[in-house]
Amino acid sequence: LYGSIGYNIPTTTAIIGRSFNSESTQFNKSTFSKGFVFQGGYIYAINNNIQLDLNINYLLGVTDENYYSIEYNGQQLNGRYSNSNIALSPSIKIKSDMGDFSLYVRFGCSVNFIKIKEVSDLPSSFIYSSEEYVYSSDYTIGWIAAVGLNYLIEEKFLVFTEMQLNSLTFYPDKLEYTRIDGNTKTTTIYYPKDTLTGGNGYSGLEAIQDFPFSSIGLLVGLRFIL
């Protein structure tokens, strides 16, 4: 059994927002994969060099990160987003012992349960105060690969460090749009669809966008040998 903590560094970015005023426009490149990650798992040894690793991890992500700022008729409109991901990652691990140290590589797939929330804060002159978009899907399949180093502290305990590559792109199949005012109303869209009705604060373009989630995770952890 093992547990680890680390940080995901994005390997892909996309234009997810913009800031502009009467003089210039600045596009904001960012990603949805960065943040602290917590992992745990169970390793089953087929033999001394080949193991099966069942990993579960939680990406804390970001909370209320700014993604756009717009000057509108002398007033400021601001947007922010939050995200998280829970993933199940079965993989095959191949290791080589060198005394108390052992090097290993592992590779496999990941089943990801992702949620992204975007909130637009609107000025007081608008008839409603804010808009909220929540993107989700049943699951998203990705791929993982990792290289790491174990060090045996004593017979039952070892520490390890790992660099992990996560490769996936999130294509949501559900959008929940909420207009927050005196009469809050939520509209749910399931897609893909051939056509989506525009207006009412959302459009087909918003419903079919993709979100970059690939990253490199740097982790340290502790393993207990049963």
Side-chain angles (χ1 to χ4, degrees), residues 9-20 25-34 62 65-69 81 118 210-214:
I9 301 169
T11 58
T12 56
T13 59
I15 295 174
I16 65 170
R18 64 192 188 279
S19 299
F20 70 85
T25 298
Q26 178 179 341
F27 292 98
N28 300 330
K29 281 190 174 182
S30 190
T31 181
F32 296 90
S33 60
K34 68 180 178 181
V62 299
E65 182 103 341
N66 290 334
Y67 75 95
Y68 80 76
S69 177
Y81 73 90
E118 297 180 355
D210 60 294
F211 299 90
F213 253 89
S214 296

Side-chain angles (χ1 to χ4, degrees), residues 55 89-91 106-110 142-146 164-167:
N55 175 286
S89 305
S91 62
R106 67 183 182 96
F107 50 90
C109 65
S110 63
W143 303 98
I144 64 166
Q164 178 179 299
L165 173 65
N166 306 285
S167 178

Side-chain angles (χ1 to χ4, degrees), residues 69-190:
S69 177
I70 299 172
E71 186 181 288
Y72 179 81
N73 289 339
Q75 301 178 89
Q76 203 71 23
L77 285 73
N78 297 298
R80 47 198 168 86
Y81 73 90
S82 307
N83 69 284
S84 63
N85 180 23
I86 297 175
L88 301 175
S89 305
S91 62
I92 296 174
K93 178 183 287 186
I94 301 173
K95 73 179 182 73
S96 177
D97 296 329
M98 300 176 294
D100 290 338
F101 291 91
S102 60
L103 284 169
Y104 67 85
V105 294
R106 67 183 182 96
F107 50 90
C109 65
S110 63
V111 183
N112 302 268
F113 304 91
I114 297 170
K115 179 175 284 188
I116 296 175
K117 181 174 73 173
E118 297 180 355
V119 178
S120 297
D121 298 313
L122 305 176
S124 57
S125 60
F126 277 57
I127 59 174
Y128 44 93
S129 59
S130 65
E131 295 177 311
E132 181 179 286
Y133 300 80
V134 178
Y135 300 89
S136 61
S137 68
D138 291 336
Y139 59 88
T140 299
I141 300 296
W143 303 98
I144 64 166
V147 59
L149 177 67
N150 297 322
Y151 174 69
L152 187 66
I153 303 174
E154 55 181 63
E155 184 181 359
K156 293 290 185 180
F157 291 94
L158 57 81
V159 294
F160 65 91
T161 182
E162 180 178 295
M163 182 174 68
Q164 178 179 299
L165 173 65
N166 306 285
S167 178
L168 71 146
T169 301
F170 174 48
Y171 294 93
D173 54 31
K174 180 181 177 182
L175 167 62
E176 294 176 281
Y177 167 74
T178 302
R179 176 178 289 180
I180 302 172
D181 54 16
N183 298 304
T184 299
K185 180 183 178 181
T186 299
T187 301
T188 302
I189 308 169
Y190 295 94

